Amino acid sequence: MNISRRRGAVLAMSVAAVLGGLTACSSSSNHGARAPSTGNGSSASSASGGTPSAAASGGGGGGGGTYTIWDPYPQFDNSSDWVKLLQSCGSQAGVTVKRTGFDTTDLTTKVLLAAQQGNAPDVLIVDNPVVSTLADGGVLTDTTATKLDTSSIQPNILAAGQLDGKTYGVPIGANTLALYYNKNVLDAAGVDPTTVKDWSSLTTALQKIKAAGKKGITFSAIGTEEGSFQFLPWFWGSGANLTNLSSSQAVSALSLWTDWLKNGLAPNSVINNTQTTSWQEFASGDFGFGENGTWQLANAQKAGFPYGIISIPAQNGGGAPVPTGGEFVTIPVQKSTDRYATDEKLVSCLTSADNAYTTDTTLSYVGATKDIQSKQGSSTPALQPWIDAVQNAKGRTSDNLGTKYPKISEQLWKAVQSALSGAQSPQAALSAAQSAAAAATK
Amino acid sequence: MNETTGSALPVSDRGVAGAAENAPATRGRLNRHAMTRQLAAWGFVLPVTVYLLLFYGWPLYRNIDLSLRHYTVRSFVQGGAKFVGLQNYRTIFHDPTFLPALEHTAIFTAASLFFQFSIGMVLALFFFQHFKLARTLRALFLVPWLLPLIVSASTWSWMLNSDSGVVNAALGVVGVGPVHWLTSPTWALTSVTIANIWIGIPFNLVLLHSGLQSISSDVYEAASLDGAGSWKRFWLVTFPLLRPVSAITLLLGLVYTLKVFDIIWIMTRGGPADASTTLATYSYQLGFGTLLPQFDTGAAVGNVLILIALVFGLAYIRAQRKAAA
Amino acid sequence: MARRRWLRTVVGVVLTALMLFPLYWMINVSFTKDNRMRKSPPDLLPVHGTLAGYRAVMHQQLPYLATSLVVALGTVIVTVVLAAPAGYSLAKLRPRGRGALTFLLLIVQMIPAIIMAFGFYAIYLRLGVLNTIPGLIVADSTIAIPFAVLIFTAFMSGIPGELLQAAEIDGAGTLRRFLSVVLPVSRNAVVTVSLFAFLWSWSDFVFASTLDISGHHQPITLGIYHYIGNNNQQWNAIMATAVVASIPAAVLLVLAQRYVAAGVTAGAVKD
């Protein structure tokens, strides 16, 4: 191994030289081919011009240069309002913006890899429970270094981006969960949604719906963060706390879901449902209720049946605490600190009241500041229940869980899967989860 | 290393293996002719060797290094992870997920290989006959391969969905109650295995079919003159002649099946309750499946998989040598 | 006799239909409206179909298809150029340490793609070839090269030694023998390897998403990204992309298929 490694190094170098030559000549031919075909993404291709590594090497300095932005919105292409907003923020700051959209589950890995190689983007928009992990990894700058202003942000939304008293980003908006209901199904079953105040009245409503030949409720209990996100309102609504997964309250929450499945009030497919799949089930028109998020509002209007929204009830009445969702705009650590000034301009532009309002409307999110929320409330009354929900929502990494949260969450979704699939009783599943989580976070 | 596998070739060829045994004798008196021959020989394999060292050597080295250090997110990004020896391996061996994952890997791989191979063989024999459209139909059998795995795996999970899946709808027509293909601990592993068999059939079909084509028709004529029936002919003539092809097909199949993770990941996420977790998905789950990546233990599981493949590779090479001797 | 042939065709069609049923289902979903996707029981035919998925694809995906084609063909070339000489050497020239090399070729295929991708990312960043088509081609060829060398070795060791000796007596050097004797004889092996290299490169996602995600030219597997929102997936468009993506490749497959005749493993079967 030793010998071959040394030889390998020499070989590697010679190959690097060969490859360098190879790519140099083919990339020049590439430019020739690229020039006429600017129709696809003219703004983006002009952005990087001839030197794709300009952004990576941090050259450019004060005036102009290329700044990279990564976001988890691959559904927006170069012609979308979102990308146009990014471009215009760039030109206001006097720089060119090169933007890449990633699938949200992919983004964490890619950011870690890029940061390891010293190639992190200038601005990163990332799902809120990931912020504390990235911050702990030293990937993100905190606001004392970058002079970002977070004073107008609602504290419960900002909490997800805070770790040990420091703030690592600005929320672009927030979303959360509630129960959508199908008016036709509820009417046919004789259920009045206003009577759903706690778990027992909800279960009664589901039984009536089932008796009327329809399906009760659908949600997402998949073995990923989505599953935990959807279970948390019930978990917290029972009075349980994430520091003790096997409390009797927690068991009662998991038993509620398990019994729904056992009694046919929720479909077996929830075990593998993503929130999208779960929405598709609800959109088929057969279900009375569907637990889903703010972002489905636009789809709900297209569903073809009258719908309504109620907040998720707590066990003994009242609204359950719901988890905040949504992304944070952050500034990853750069080799040269003189980039931060421009980064700060870009972030401020994206999160400024007017722009954030536009973005939140596009994403169907609730604004992170009181101002934006009241503007949304008056222009889109349908959002009002969501605004109320967001004001009462709770960050998943708050309660000072920080980087412990991912480990606890993993055990939580595993327990939900075990109980719903019948592999273990709720009590046994949660006890196992608690001991695994305790071991992982000690 | 050189001594132990000196004459090993993936697919045995008597001429080559036989000549290789003479190699030590000639080694002593390397004349100029032999030298230039060696130079030419290495000239031809040099590009691939360099390529292997550069693009496989580095990741492999990284993977081993990852598994021997304690990595946190911070040390992954900033460097300076502590060397912990085999600590990560001890951790995974004691993890309650490990043994079931190992067991599922064995079942998943064995069942996939068995069915892919036997179905592939039957289909190869079938398409080897002459009939109209045989070629076109055989080409169509390869189409599933063109699909990105995310699409084919999603299509399978769609079809196997407990409530709105077409498979359960079909079962309902014949009066069988719904089966929770992907959501019950008893069925999940079977379901992902079925999907994997489906994906693996084209590979087996192509290789075995080409193997069949290279058996000279004289052999068959001789056998039919002897009055061998078609069943007997297959077992006595075709199958033995196909042995080298079968061996390489099975070995490559094993290597590819051991590392399958996308299909399982998309269909069940290894669940419910780890019921369809294999070593490959377990490794991915550790490394990338949560919000907090654990690259070190993930890499350790990956290396265990590589070790398993290593064992089978060695066994294969030994068997080849025995056959050649 | 003729009737039996027809019977075989019928059986063949039925088997193919069974095998391709998941594909049909994919096509069905690609025409289905969002709100009917999870209907129970499902629609067997896209009777209430929508062309929304295909409209999206036609507007956005065609450049991706072209890139995929370039990348896949490039992969084929790199694979054959690197693997064929190696196969020849391993089969006929007996370089020392070939046992170790073939063993390595077998084992490296076990390294998880994502780990490979990490390695490539680090190398490419330094070479400045991230987000370029040549970079993606080289990465994609790692999927096929070990397999290709093994197949070439197997095939070429079946080439009769007399053929090469005759050429040697005629004064042909090693390279000449390889180019004018071995390669032409191995046409079928070349086609088979090309086919596999093409298919693997065509459907690669891991390398593309790590090494080409910010590129101007992206393959079709990344085109699918457009339909994966952070909270919502447009399944009819995803499936439509897959359908559209498989058409040109399927045509190529049927055409190339005629050449995959006696070949792949001829050398392995004949002693």
Side-chain angles (χ1 to χ4, degrees), chain B residues 112-122 204 208 239 245-247 249-250:
Chain B
S112 294
L113 280 184
F114 177 78
F115 286 106
Q116 282 172 5
F117 182 78
S118 38
I119 295 173
M121 178 72 93
V122 169
N204 285 266
L208 293 172
F239 196 65
V245 192
S246 307
T249 308
L250 281 172

Side-chain angles (χ1 to χ4, degrees), chain B residues 95-145:
Chain B
D95 190 295
T97 315
F98 182 79
L99 273 184
L102 188 66
E103 190 192 330
H104 297 155
T105 309
I107 298 172
F108 177 77
T109 312
S112 294
L113 280 184
F114 177 78
F115 286 106
Q116 282 172 5
F117 182 78
S118 38
I119 295 173
M121 178 72 93
V122 169
L123 287 169
L125 288 168
F126 177 75
F127 282 113
F128 192 55
Q129 300 166 315
H130 294 283
F131 57 88
K132 272 219 161 71
L133 290 179
R135 265 188 184 167
T136 312
L137 291 179
R138 194 156 48 87
L140 286 177
F141 256 76
L142 301 188
V143 173
W145 231 352

Side-chain angles (χ1 to χ4, degrees), chain B residues 1-2 5-6 8-11 13-14 16 19-20 27 30 37-38 40-42 44-45 47-49 51-52 54-56 58-60 63 76 123 126 129-133 135 137-148 151 154-156 158-159 161 163-166 169 198 201-203 206-207 210-211 213-215 241 244-245 251-252 255-256 258-259 288 305-306 309-310 313-314 317, chain C residues 5-6 8-9 11-13 15-16 19-23 25-26 29 37-40 42 44 82 85-86 88-89 91-103 105-111 114-116 118-120 122-123 138 141-142 145-147 150 153-154 157 174-175 178 196 199-200 202-203 221 224 235 239 242 246 249-250 253-254 257 260-262 264-266 268-271:
Chain B
M1 198 70 181
N2 244 335
T5 57
L9 263 180
V11 178
D13 172 83
R14 248 167 233 175
V16 174
R27 194 174 296 167
L30 269 181
R37 272 197 81 103
Q38 271 302 309
W42 266 99
F44 278 87
V45 287
V48 157
T49 315
Y51 186 90
L52 278 180
L54 185 65
F55 294 131
Y56 283 98
W58 170 249
L60 188 61
N63 211 34
F76 181 80
L123 287 169
F126 177 75
Q129 300 166 315
H130 294 283
F131 57 88
K132 272 219 161 71
L133 290 179
R135 265 188 184 167
L137 291 179
R138 194 156 48 87
L140 286 177
F141 256 76
L142 301 188
V143 173
W145 231 352
L146 292 170
L147 306 176
V151 170
S154 304
T155 307
W156 273 97
W158 218 285
M159 297 196 314
N161 187 291
D163 303 281
S164 60
V166 65
W198 179 79
I201 287 175
F203 179 77
V206 173
L207 288 187
S210 326
Q213 281 184 314
S214 60
I215 300 176
L241 281 175
V245 192
L251 187 70
L252 287 172
V255 168
Y256 298 147
L258 275 178
K259 67 172 183 181
F288 308 99
L305 262 183
I306 295 177
L310 207 81
L314 279 173
I317 281 167
Chain C
R5 281 197 175 185
W6 274 110
R8 282 179 191 151
T9 305
V11 173
V13 170
L15 286 176
T16 314
M19 182 75 184
L20 297 190
F21 182 78
L23 259 90
W25 204 247
M26 181 182 97
V29 171
M37 281 197 184
R38 296 287 165 180
K39 219 171 86 23
S40 164
L44 290 180
L82 280 175
Y88 168 56
S89 176
K92 291 292 176 193
L93 302 177
R94 309 201 298 273
R96 281 217 228 132
R98 64 185 175 287
L101 189 61
T102 29
F103 189 60
L105 285 168
L106 211 55
I107 294 312
V108 292
Q109 301 190 50
M110 278 306 300
I111 306 173
I114 187 88
I115 297 293
M116 294 283 300
F118 273 30
F120 270 111
I123 297 171
V138 171
S141 63
T142 54
I145 279 186
F147 168 84
L150 296 179
T153 310
S157 54
T174 321
L175 189 65
F178 172 65
F196 280 82
L199 289 174
W200 279 327
W202 184 266
S203 56
T221 40
I224 289 181
W235 274 103
M239 294 301 188
S246 35
L253 201 67
V254 174
Q257 158 61 45
V260 194
V264 191
T265 38
V269 179
K270 284 188 205 141
D271 275 10

Side-chain angles (χ1 to χ4, degrees), chain A residues 299-322:
Chain A
N299 287 327
Q301 277 143 10
K302 287 190 293 190
F305 51 78
Y307 72 96
I309 297 161
I310 56 169
S311 50
I312 297 172
Q315 182 167 22
N316 300 315
V322 282

